[in-house]
Amino acid sequence: MQERYSRRWFLSTSGLGLVGVALSGRSALTSQRGPAASPADPATIEDLVAGNRILAREQVLDAFGHISVRHPRNPDRYLLARSVAPGLVTADDIIEYDLDSKPIDDRGRASYRERFIHGEIYRSRRDVNAIVHCHTPSLLPFGVTKVPLRPMYHQSSWVAEGVPVFEIREAAGMTDMLIGDNRLGKALAGTLGAKPAALMRGHGAVVVGNSIPTVVGRSVYLDINARVQMQAMALGGPITYIDPEEAKKYAAPNNYDRAWELWKRQMTR
Amino acid sequence: MQERYSRRWFLSTSGLGLVGVALSGRSALTSQRGPAASPADPATIEDLVAGNRILAREQVLDAFGHISVRHPRNPDRYLLARSVAPGLVTADDIIEYDLDSKPIDDRGRASYRERFIHGEIYRSRRDVNAIVHCHTPSLLPFGVTKVPLRPMYHQSSWVAEGVPVFEIREAAGMTDMLIGDNRLGKALAGTLGAKPAALMRGHGAVVVGNSIPTVVGRSVYLDINARVQMQAMALGGPITYIDPEEAKKYAAPNNYDRAWELWKRQMTR
Amino acid sequence: MQERYSRRWFLSTSGLGLVGVALSGRSALTSQRGPAASPADPATIEDLVAGNRILAREQVLDAFGHISVRHPRNPDRYLLARSVAPGLVTADDIIEYDLDSKPIDDRGRASYRERFIHGEIYRSRRDVNAIVHCHTPSLLPFGVTKVPLRPMYHQSSWVAEGVPVFEIREAAGMTDMLIGDNRLGKALAGTLGAKPAALMRGHGAVVVGNSIPTVVGRSVYLDINARVQMQAMALGGPITYIDPEEAKKYAAPNNYDRAWELWKRQMTR
Amino acid sequence: MQERYSRRWFLSTSGLGLVGVALSGRSALTSQRGPAASPADPATIEDLVAGNRILAREQVLDAFGHISVRHPRNPDRYLLARSVAPGLVTADDIIEYDLDSKPIDDRGRASYRERFIHGEIYRSRRDVNAIVHCHTPSLLPFGVTKVPLRPMYHQSSWVAEGVPVFEIREAAGMTDMLIGDNRLGKALAGTLGAKPAALMRGHGAVVVGNSIPTVVGRSVYLDINARVQMQAMALGGPITYIDPEEAKKYAAPNNYDRAWELWKRQMTR
């Protein structure tokens, strides 16, 4: 399933101004890194706004949680909305951050307190181009019990790679539960490792992918997977989960494209 | 209950341009088979578009899954949307296929990868005129456990005929889970046999009927049946299911007509 | 709680043309009975249409099921929509029936097949002025198991009077499950007895009351009661139900008036 | 977590006409108490109307239940809508009450029968500035079983302070279940004690806070907490709840501000 996390730069799905810079050309890009913000292309911003609105409409996010994207032309930067409910995000809300999660130019806009989730995962996972942090209710039971999330059907078969649980007490004892600095972000990234998602005990989850449509699709179908698993377990008896080999064969970078097309259309109705 | 799957050709419910060709006249029709597309009547296309939209609105389908109809004038052909989310289907999206699931004239439009489900079932089930392939979440638990779907009430009493489970591993070992060719389509049709529906382990279901309103109604009420069965089992103790004789007496070709009338009206509001 | 089913004629809630004929004056009224339809006042018709639309909106009814009202000026007649989905009912759809469930003047409009539920209950229950027949999914598990519905909270405390289960097999063996004639309607009325509601195994329920707002409110809160009871039972351990004495003290004819006002307003938005 | 219930007067969130009177100046204010109504500032009224509408939209309240606010300039008064469904409340519906729950000037408008809940809690809890009384279905199972509500995640971590259950039978034997006078209101306030919420057996709950946004946020997330807890318990095995120390560290007066901003915006769309 690692094919899914290709090192090719992801293409914006809006078809405008695609940016096809390969990561192998990253050394040139990183030399551009500095205090100045490098404006992202409008298509990426448009997709990031869409991702916010879609996740709110699909009830993966409520007033809280966030979605980010790695900067298309500078892999040491990422884009994330200012501190506002995802369902209200517009292009003007997007702020550029470095991997220490310091805003390049916030123009006085407040930052999400847990932005360090994004910075540290982008730092440790060069294959990841988009990240969702959510509190989806169906995921919470799997974060507070010893029952692991298992892959129920092809649409969420990537769960076969494993979804570890982050216990913040192991990293920092009794806290306010929030990933409020880089140290905690790094601890979470450590639990995530090379996996597609991690649960956060008593808090929510983080889901990663190589593009905005992929991470949005994964977040939506992880919610369905959790609900189906609870129901299947309630029926009792042995359960046939998706096999890791089945998951690997199903994996493809465009698996959620048809959904992304629908979701974008529903947004504008 | 076999009366339900009458050999009479189904009537379009829209009341426009009804096509009443009996299947007994099929030999004449099949001689017309060839490379040229034979345009279906507008009423059938209209019902197929409605079926797509209704199943999306009723949340039987999300961005994925599909509904097809056998060609009213050529039983060796069927009609199915191009590869697009059911909620977005319009008349321009409908493609005609032969029973090998080769498009007659796709005009460059992409086909659903799992169209072979439809071709092989139309080939093996001459009583079937409409097919739904869905991933309805409530059905998934019954596909991955040993608990069979049982008929809970009159509206879904046809479940008494039995809903077998297709295990793709038995047909082809470890796969990408998809019915991506005619061989797999044939294996699925074999598990379906003469039944009104079959579950697909770790994937979803296929539901068949003699008309679009029937297969749409069955798909909607199979979802309700699954949820009611999970709740009844959770209450504990013995359950009185609909008896096969009760199901047979209830069966009628127009059982879902009142719902179809409502659903079409809700669509256009 | 019997105070709730007062013998006073119920008042239309719309405030137009209230009809306050006491049932004690019924002998005079019944002498008017005959082949001619006696048009009901517009306020009653308006409330009956509202009851249909509200029950559809609140998902107590889907495309099937029905609500009727006893004729305000002739207790041996009742009013019920023609065979159409409740969500589509308008004043033109209302048909007047005698207690044998024969339409007085159907003007070619088709009748619901199960109208006999209404006729026989109005015949045996002179305190009842409005009846709902529904297939609400949450009620079905209680009709097919041995678990009785119990009163969970004040809003549905009338459940303390008891909700018996009608097993059609006891009345007529293997059937099509439908109350398709007066004999079956009478058997159902017999199971209902003096209770506010009865479940029908593998089918749904019948709910009765002294007015349209009461029977609509009871139907909505019976659905909630069923879902709460399933959840409370799943938590495990002893449950404190509403005591019959508590139910009796809570009972009042206007308990659902505030909801009725809201529901009518939501209808017209 | 007691910091949350600061003695500072809460600020209206609408940013208009903030009233920053400290409670330490209360003696001057209480001297103003008398038969005349002291009109509240428009921003408080606006927030109270918003609270009604939001709780209805979020399905914490249906046609029943209510939300009140302590009068910003007179701590011995509170504001509450007349007897009407929360989803229909407008500024004209707001009535001012003293702590005996007598309306100052009701202008003929009917009062909620259970307004004594509000008066007695404002009397006993000087830290409380806003109160919700609800019948949210997800809370009912925890009121009728021996299973206590426990804090599942940071958003509802204040549940760690404890949510006691009020058994009206202990206060008054067999009743109509309603808090219909000051004596019952006082008994309920006694069970609530210094806690953020209390369940009412066979009835619903009362939730308190230092501001309208806080009590609305608590009511919404208490509903989610209850549903998550039921699901986690159904999965089986030990559950790691939010620790009281974690709850204390997370507590902040503005925890629901981002949600309040979203909810107000959704209201006006």
Side-chain angles (χ1 to χ4, degrees), chain C residues 152-155 221 224 228 231-232 235-236 238-243 245-246 249-250 255 258-259 261-262 265 269, chain D residues 62-64 83-85 87-88 112 135 137 140-142 144-145 147 169 174-178 201-203 230 233:
Chain C
M152 303 308 296
Y153 76 139
H154 64 307
Q155 301 271 46
Y221 284 97
I224 296 174
V228 169
Q231 292 175 336
L235 283 183
I239 296 174
T240 304
Y241 297 106
I242 294 288
D243 189 89
E245 198 177 334
E246 290 169 330
K249 288 187 167 170
Y250 179 75
N255 275 340
R258 203 189 303 161
E261 181 192 357
L262 174 67
R265 285 275 293 275
R269 273 183 208 168
Chain D
D62 54 9
F64 303 95
S83 181
V84 67
L88 301 178
Y112 288 126
H135 310 148
L140 298 171
F142 294 92
V144 300
T145 60
V147 179
R169 286 181 199 164
M174 290 294 157
T175 64
D176 65 2
M177 302 298 295
L178 301 177
R201 192 269 309 162
H203 185 152
M230 287 190 273
M233 291 178 70

Side-chain angles (χ1 to χ4, degrees), chain A residues 122-174:
Chain A
Y122 287 124
R123 197 195 308 274
S124 70
R125 287 282 297 274
R126 286 291 164 171
D127 60 308
V128 164
N129 293 317
I131 300 173
V132 167
H133 168 55
C134 60
H135 310 149
T136 319
S138 62
L139 303 181
L140 298 171
F142 294 93
V144 300
T145 59
K146 300 294 175 201
V147 179
L149 274 169
R150 301 291 303 272
M152 303 308 295
Y153 75 139
H154 64 308
Q155 302 271 46
S156 49
S157 53
W158 53 269
V159 171
E161 294 183 55
V163 178
V165 177
F166 176 69
E167 170 52 273
I168 195 169
R169 287 181 200 165
E170 291 174 10
M174 290 295 158

Side-chain angles (χ1 to χ4, degrees), chain A residues 198-265:
Chain A
L199 300 180
M200 301 158 78
R201 191 270 309 162
H203 185 154
V206 62
V207 183
V208 302
N210 71 331
S211 71
I212 291 174
T214 293
V215 84
V216 168
R218 284 182 172 185
S219 300
V220 169
Y221 284 97
L222 188 61
D223 175 27
I224 298 174
N225 190 93
R227 288 189 266 169
V228 169
Q229 183 174 345
M230 287 190 273
Q231 292 174 335
M233 290 178 70
L235 284 183
I239 296 173
T240 305
Y241 298 106
I242 294 287
D243 189 89
E245 197 179 334
E246 290 170 331
K248 198 171 292 188
K249 289 186 167 170
Y250 179 74
N254 64 344
N255 274 339
Y256 297 122
D257 283 3
R258 203 189 300 161
W260 180 254
E261 180 192 357
L262 174 67
W263 292 330
K264 284 192 82 164
R265 284 275 294 275

Side-chain angles (χ1 to χ4, degrees), chain C residues 6 12 29 37 47 49 69 74 79 109 113 115 192 203:
Chain C
S6 86
S12 162
L29 284 166
D47 276 5
V49 170
V69 64
N74 186 343
L79 305 167
R109 295 168 295 179
R113 196 168 151 200
R115 62 194 178 278
L192 176 66
H203 185 152

Side-chain angles (χ1 to χ4, degrees), chain C residues 91-112:
Chain C
D92 283 343
D93 295 318
I94 306 301
I95 300 177
E96 184 177 335
Y97 293 92
D98 67 19
L99 296 191
D100 291 328
S101 294
K102 286 183 190 136
I104 305 306
D105 179 9
D106 60 19
R107 304 196 325 256
R109 295 168 295 179
S111 289
Y112 287 125

Side-chain angles (χ1 to χ4, degrees), chain D residues 188-209:
Chain D
L188 173 59
T191 294
L192 175 65
K195 303 299 187 188
L199 300 180
M200 302 159 77
R201 192 269 309 162
H203 185 152
V206 62
V207 183
V208 303

